[in-house]
Amino acid sequence: MNRNTPHGPLTLVGLVAWREIVTQFQRKELWASLVMMILVFCGALGLQKVFTGAADRPVLAVVGEHRDLTESLRAQTAGASGDGGARGVEVVSYENEAAAEAAVRAEKADAALVGEGRVLVREKLPEPLAGPLYEAHRTAQTTERLRDGGLTDAAIARALAVQPLTVSALDPDADRRTEPTMTAAIGVMALFFLTFMFGQGIAQGVLEEKSSRIVEVLLAKVHAWQLLAGKVLGIGLVAFVQISAMAAGGVTVAVAADLVDAPADAIGTSVSVVLWFIPGFLGFAALWAVAGALASRAEDLQHAAGPVSMLQTLSLMAALAPFTGISDTLTRLFSLVPGLSSAVMPVRMASENVPWWEVALAAVLLLASIAALLRVGGRIYIGGLLQHGGIVKARTALRNARLGGMS
Amino acid sequence: MLEFDALTKGFGDKKVLRGLSFQVRPGELYGFCGANGAGKTTAMRIALGMLAADTGEVRFEGRPVDSAGRRLIGYMPEERGLYGKMRPRDQLVYFARLSGMGAREAKARADEWIERLGVKMGPKDVLDKLSLGNQQKELIAALIHRPGVLILDEPFSGLDPVASDAMAQALTEFTRDGVPVVFSSHQLDLVERLCDRVGIVRDGALVAEGTVEELRGRTTRRLEIALEGAPAGWASAVAGTRVVEARHNRYTLEVEEQVPVREILSAAQTHGDIVHFAWRESSLTEIFREAVTA
């Protein structure tokens, strides 16, 4: 005779979630996808670096002394360091013109100063090198003429010490924001694929339970909402661990390899993306579970899940809206709409200062919609689970749930 | 005692249960029979809380079965399955834990039943890796959580003879512990052999119930007669009877209640020499057929 003490609802949800977690972590595919995602994340950060033009310092090959010129260049380099854009010029000495020319041909140097006022380049003088080089040349020439005029080096230095222009930036963070925006967009894209992958896993798992009638055994022990909640939470937790590992691994590698200029921004953006991911994932996971409950056979699943994958794709497209030059108003609107906001808002937050009330409104709307979704979706879920044959329409499933008095 | 009390259930215009009532006593093995669509699965799903009855209720030990009471139920659906990609021991523990069993006890019981049923598997094998026979044994082991009552929908369906015997033995052991067991089955020979009582449901209502002997007593009497030297079709002429089966010279006759058997004996003797003359016990299949087609 049964002497067991019935578990509380939360324990039952926990048991369902635990099974999902254990089952997921026993899958080799999960570990393979985790490694792949980290590599993709790092690769994408590297590409971003290339596309945003944060290249290495230009290299100038010099032959001979050119003391004044190289000093002027080095002085500019020292003044430019950490400026985010111009990083100065690296000056490398070569013994003769042939060696310097070979360095330019081999792309070891961007230009070679081979003689008095003569510069060799492959095609044209690179922009980051041109300004400093012209300036250094002018300074070197001026210094030489002043020295010929009898001035001492100290007097020359005083004469050339010009108070630099004071530059006041109207939008000093504009350039700095590019990197977090790109990081957020890459993160959202990675999460899109992750949610898609886990979403399909959830739908297949629900379908497996339905088609093998395991769900009937389960529903004799737990309520449908407990089953749905446990499943979504369990797989959600696995996805969260995976995305956290991916973000942590990706950011660590990116910082270690100097792929990002502002690590704090990258970390902050990653945290924001992950935090927005949680409610977004919960919503989509519930939708995928409902889609699984509406299908009866594996071949029906893609069709049943069509609207879910379409909505998810829309959310990704909306998240990339800021890069398409689409109107700011539309992007703002997308960032508030549940279903899209979890992808759009983190990208928007990375690219501009979003008013706090808009962030709060988006979060409230998203959470409210998830609560409504779990309620209605839960009804469709239970209504679909016990109906077999083809794809069950959502309306039919709701009717089944109502007629059956299912809970 | 498990009681199904005046259950009614409709889906739109379709009435599936029409006042279905029956009881399963402690330690009783109850065969729940009916044609497809008669309402057996719906009744079971109501007991398990998967569906709500329109009227009536299911009680266990005098109390309506609520969500806590349902944890006492061991249930096996008709096309029951297990998780193909999960390790057998893990899923036994999982189902037992969902039924309220503690982790340590669930693991111990899982090991005990796996050994007892002789399920052969490697430590890391998932269910799909097991042979069909071992998977069937695993199904039985899914009832390890010491249920207070068993409700099984077609538990013998698809089992090979060895697994079928193991299932029968397991059910008998449960009844020995005082657990009421109700199961549906189309394998009426098994029901006849195993069950203490049988209920036959038609169109959502019980039309016959009792021990197999009691049910036999309520069916029309049947005589089996074989004659030598009798002309073909002689049995049709015997008054107060109806031929239900004719095979070579052997006839099975349904005998009306008021007709004395000696009159039939006399009538038969006028047609030929008696080779065989005996009452024939109705099988459960015949009882079932009569009940669902009446």
Side-chain angles (χ1 to χ4, degrees), chain B residues 223-227 234 249-253 264 268 274 276-277:
Chain B
L223 266 176
E224 197 172 66
I225 308 169
L227 297 182
W234 64 268
N249 62 345
R250 190 175 286 252
Y251 288 82
T252 302
L253 307 179
I264 299 168
I274 302 275
H276 178 82
F277 188 95

Side-chain angles (χ1 to χ4, degrees), chain B residues 38-53:
Chain B
K40 303 185 297 292
T41 300
T42 301
M44 290 182 174
R45 285 179 174 177
I46 288 173
L48 294 156
M50 280 184 260
L51 294 175

Side-chain angles (χ1 to χ4, degrees), chain B:
Chain B
M1 173 127 65
L2 177 69
E3 299 168 85
F4 290 74
D5 188 7
L7 294 183
T8 65
K9 179 71 191 172
F11 293 98
D13 296 336
K14 192 180 174 195
K15 296 288 171 213
V16 178
L17 296 180
R18 303 163 190 266
L20 178 73
S21 295
F22 64 94
Q23 292 89 39
V24 188
R25 298 161 191 153
E28 184 176 60
L29 202 51
Y30 189 96
F32 190 37
C33 306
N36 290 331
K40 303 185 297 292
T41 300
T42 301
M44 290 182 174
R45 285 179 174 177
I46 288 173
L48 294 156
M50 280 184 260
L51 294 175
D54 293 341
T55 59
E57 64 180 7
V58 179
R59 290 186 293 273
F60 180 55
E61 293 179 342
R63 282 183 304 188
V65 178
D66 55 11
S67 58
R70 279 179 205 116
R71 310 274 187 277
L72 303 175
I73 300 175
Y75 174 63
M76 198 183 274
E78 183 179 353
E79 291 170 50
R80 70 274 174 204
L82 296 163
Y83 292 102
K85 303 288 178 215
M86 199 174 172
R87 292 174 192 161
R89 181 177 181 267
D90 291 348
Q91 48 193 318
L92 294 185
V93 172
Y94 176 57
F95 287 130
R97 294 222 60 205
L98 286 180
S99 299
M101 193 173 261
R104 193 178 295 175
E105 189 185 3
K107 286 173 187 169
R109 291 276 291 173
D111 291 337
E112 179 193 326
W113 274 75
I114 285 170
E115 190 179 335
R116 183 174 156 189
L117 292 169
V119 181
K120 291 182 179 61
M121 59 183 179
K124 289 195 172 177
D125 283 349
V126 294
L127 188 88
D128 282 348
K129 296 258 181 194
L130 267 58
S131 69
L132 191 60
N134 280 315
Q135 287 185 25
Q136 289 174 336
K137 287 176 185 170
E138 173 83 2
L139 280 171
I140 303 167
L143 302 171
I144 65 170
H145 60 282
R146 300 185 200 279
V149 56
L150 284 184
I151 297 179
L152 315 169
D153 201 356
E154 296 282 352
F156 294 96
S157 166
L159 296 192
D160 64 31
V162 176
S164 192
D165 286 346
M167 173 68 82
Q169 191 186 344
L171 298 189
T172 308
E173 282 178 27
F174 274 110
T175 58
R176 242 180 253 146
D177 290 341
V179 174
V181 178
V182 54
F183 73 89
S184 69
S185 182
H186 291 303
Q187 289 161 273
L188 297 175
D189 53 333
L190 253 164
V191 175
E192 186 172 353
R193 182 159 60 85
L194 289 175
C195 290
D196 301 307
R197 287 194 307 139
V198 177
I200 298 173
V201 63
R202 188 183 69 201
D203 294 334
L206 210 63
V207 290
E209 188 188 42
T211 64
V212 176
E213 281 308 312
E214 285 169 349
L215 292 176
R216 275 195 191 111
R218 287 178 217 153
T219 55
T220 315
R221 297 180 301 163
R222 291 182 179 194
L223 266 176
E224 197 172 66
I225 308 169
L227 297 182
E228 204 171 77
W234 64 268
S236 316
V238 179
T241 67
R242 185 174 73 88
V243 177
V244 291
E245 193 178 295
R247 202 185 305 157
H248 307 300
N249 62 345
R250 190 175 286 252
Y251 288 82
T252 302
L253 307 179
E254 272 185 3
V255 182
E256 290 174 11
E257 197 65 38
Q258 71 283 3
V259 178
V261 71
R262 62 178 177 279
E263 284 184 12
I264 299 168
L265 179 63
S266 303
Q269 282 172 327
T270 61
H271 293 288
D273 296 329
I274 302 275
V275 175
H276 178 82
F277 188 95
W279 289 113
R280 206 190 91 174
E281 283 191 337
S282 297
S283 66
L284 186 58
T285 306
E286 288 163 332
I287 296 168
F288 175 83
R289 199 173 288 137
E290 193 174 311
V292 299
T293 56

